[in-house]
Amino acid sequence: MIITLIIVLAFVVLIYLFLQQAQFGKRPSGNRLELIKNSPNYKNGTFQNLSHTPDLTEGVSFFSVMKEFLFNKNEFKKPNQIIPSTKTNLLELDLLENVVIWFGHSSYFMQIDGKKILVDPVLSGSASPLSFTTKAFNGTDVYTTDDFPEIDYLFISHDHWDHLDYKTIMKMKPKIKTVICGLGTGAHFEHWGFNSDSIIEKDWNETIILEDGFEVNTVPARHFSGRSFIRNKALWTSFVLQTPTSKLFIGGDSGYDTHFIEIGKQFGPFDLAFLENGQYDKSWKYIHMTPNEVLQAAINLNAKALFPVHSSKFVLANHDWNEPLKKITELAKATDIYLITPIIGEKTTLNHKKVFPKWWELSNEVIQESI
């Protein structure tokens, strides 16, 4: 009995020490916490969604989800060949170009109206505090932090590991001018040595006036947050980005709900919407969208173009790795929405439309010939 207690105690101590690592960030405290407590979206010690949002679908347990994820024999959860990619020189872009470059999952770079913008960058090869787990697919990490110019605005939708990567952030720290995030997430950045003057963190339904005609509105999403066992101490958010020439929706992670209709009414139409399309499952239907919900959200937003993200880099769900893109491309045929589905690293010009090859179904040789 004593030996068992010693083993359990030692295990608890090891977990505690592991969680003290800088990569786990910091929970809000002091003036930041007082500000959070006054938020209409913060109740009973945590941030809340607008609608009741269970972590798991009714009747589903954490253990059943883990059992299915760990022992599901779906061999197509990972690609059986290297993901096709190309490499755009981000350091030598023409400043007059309005472009977007996707890095897989929810990480992408935009240069628009002269500003350089980065969203949820994860470039370390893993989306986990344990680097040997949740590994990026072969071919998806062709970019490193050295490939990036100075970033005018870094947008962080929430603090999950597949959206806020400590290693990437620390390597890019000297290049980041301004961080824009949800209320509470700034505590992580301050803990990592960022100057508080460079961090803009807001509650939902707030406006940020930036320079040179850029404006950001923070809007609701339906999700959750947390980098360890404690959840919802920082706010998850989406962003409406208004530039001198365009209006974009930066979605982050969200389950489907009526907030898309309200955002569309207040801010639409959008020239382009980035929406998560992947890592969905019937067992967590409230916090991620299926492809048909993604398309409906784009319609609700009154988006002219849709860029589906949150796929093709990490295994976080049980579906085939390419199922999200297969389904959204088929569904989009019935609409007038312009679907943007480039390969990783491909420069996509926002001012011109093109037909994208279905690279998730083609060989690497065909892909290279088509770009």
Side-chain angles (χ1 to χ4, degrees):
M1 182 65 177
I2 294 177
I3 294 175
T4 301
L5 289 174
I6 292 173
I7 292 173
V8 170
L9 180 61
F11 184 68
V12 171
V13 170
L14 285 174
I15 292 177
Y16 173 80
L17 293 175
F18 179 70
L19 294 176
Q20 303 313 301
Q21 295 178 93
Q23 64 175 333
F24 287 93
K26 199 82 170 179
R27 291 203 298 275
S29 60
N31 292 335
R32 178 178 280 107
L33 181 57
E34 292 305 311
L35 183 63
I36 288 173
K37 288 179 179 178
N38 290 323
S39 167
N41 305 302
Y42 189 83
K43 299 174 184 177
N44 301 319
T46 60
F47 281 105
Q48 308 286 326
N49 284 293
L50 296 178
S51 299
H52 175 60
T53 305
D55 294 336
L56 298 174
T57 305
E58 292 85 354
V60 175
S61 71
F62 172 78
F63 295 104
S64 66
V65 168
M66 290 304 298
K67 180 181 178 182
E68 183 178 9
F69 184 76
L70 293 174
F71 300 106
N72 186 326
K73 298 301 182 182
N74 181 6
E75 60 181 302
F76 299 110
K77 286 199 292 187
K78 293 182 179 180
N80 56 13
Q81 65 179 21
I82 296 175
I83 293 285
S85 65
T86 189
K87 198 161 186 180
T88 300
N89 190 334
L90 306 179
L91 301 174
E92 296 184 1
L93 290 172
D94 184 340
L95 273 177
L96 298 179
E97 287 187 296
N98 289 342
V99 300
V100 59
I101 293 99
W102 177 58
F103 309 112
H105 203 63
S106 290
S107 305
Y108 47 95
F109 169 91
M110 288 184 284
Q111 179 181 275
I112 185 164
D113 294 332
K115 297 296 183 184
K116 300 179 188 299
I117 296 165
L118 186 59
V119 178
D120 290 354
V122 179
L123 304 170
S124 67
S126 172
S128 166
L130 299 170
S131 59
F132 57 87
T133 63
T134 319
K135 300 284 287 183
F137 298 156
N138 289 336
T140 62
D141 270 335
V142 292
Y143 286 82
T144 71
T145 53
D146 294 333
D147 295 318
F148 288 80
E150 277 197 333
I151 300 299
D152 293 296
Y153 304 121
L154 170 68
F155 285 85
I156 299 295
S157 63
H158 62 299
D159 67 1
H160 284 160
W161 293 87
D162 59 322
H163 293 259
L164 178 54
D165 180 38
Y166 171 74
K167 291 180 180 178
T168 299
I169 294 300
M170 293 307 292
K171 287 182 178 179
M172 292 202 66
K173 183 178 173 184
K175 299 181 179 183
I176 297 170
K177 295 180 181 179
T178 302
V179 178
I180 301 174
C181 59
L183 190 58
T185 304
H188 299 314
F189 284 90
E190 284 192 3
H191 183 58
W192 296 335
F194 280 73
N195 191 309
S196 59
D197 293 337
S198 69
I199 304 167
I200 301 174
E201 54 182 324
K202 294 292 185 180
D203 204 345
W204 290 336
N205 304 313
E206 293 197 86
T207 301
I208 305 166
I209 304 298
L210 301 170
E211 57 187 359
D212 301 328
F214 281 71
E215 180 179 308
V216 176
N217 285 275
T218 50
V219 291
R222 190 183 193 188
H223 200 54
F224 67 107
S225 67
R227 295 178 70 79
S228 62
F229 301 115
I230 298 175
R231 291 185 167 188
N232 299 346
K233 297 298 184 180
L235 187 64
W236 49 99
T237 189
S238 298
F239 306 94
V240 174
L241 172 61
Q242 176 72 64
T243 83
T245 63
S246 301
K247 186 179 289 183
L248 297 90
F249 181 78
I250 300 173
D253 280 2
S254 179
Y256 185 77
D257 205 356
T258 56
H259 64 283
F260 289 113
I261 297 173
E262 298 306 315
I263 294 167
K265 287 179 180 177
Q266 183 175 358
F267 296 104
F270 289 92
D271 296 293
L272 174 60
F274 295 90
L275 290 171
E276 59 121 330
N277 177 59
Q279 319 321 313
Y280 48 80
D281 193 280
K282 63 184 184 302
S283 295
W284 53 85
K285 66 178 184 179
Y286 296 112
I287 56 175
H288 285 292
M289 291 188 285
T290 58
N292 61 303
E293 290 174 324
V294 173
L295 190 62
Q296 186 59 55
I299 293 170
N300 293 158
L301 291 168
N302 196 6
K304 300 173 186 176
L306 167 62
F307 199 132
V309 297
H310 212 246
S311 72
S312 309
K313 189 163 186 174
F314 303 112
V315 176
L316 298 174
N318 296 310
H319 56 65
D320 293 357
W321 76 271
N322 58 0
E323 179 185 293
L325 288 172
K326 279 185 177 180
K327 287 192 172 183
I328 197 69
T329 51
E330 286 301 312
L331 291 165
K333 289 178 181 178
T335 74
D336 293 327
I337 294 175
Y338 170 48
L339 195 64
I340 301 176
T341 55
I343 66 170
I344 288 173
E346 180 180 353
K347 182 175 73 172
T348 301
T349 303
L350 296 180
N351 310 92
H352 299 95
K353 291 185 177 181
K354 65 169 287 187
V355 177
F356 295 93
K358 295 181 180 180
W359 57 265
W360 51 93
E361 297 177 352
L362 303 175
S363 68
N364 289 354
E365 291 77 12
V366 173
I367 290 298
Q368 293 304 320
E369 290 175 1
S370 67
I371 62 173

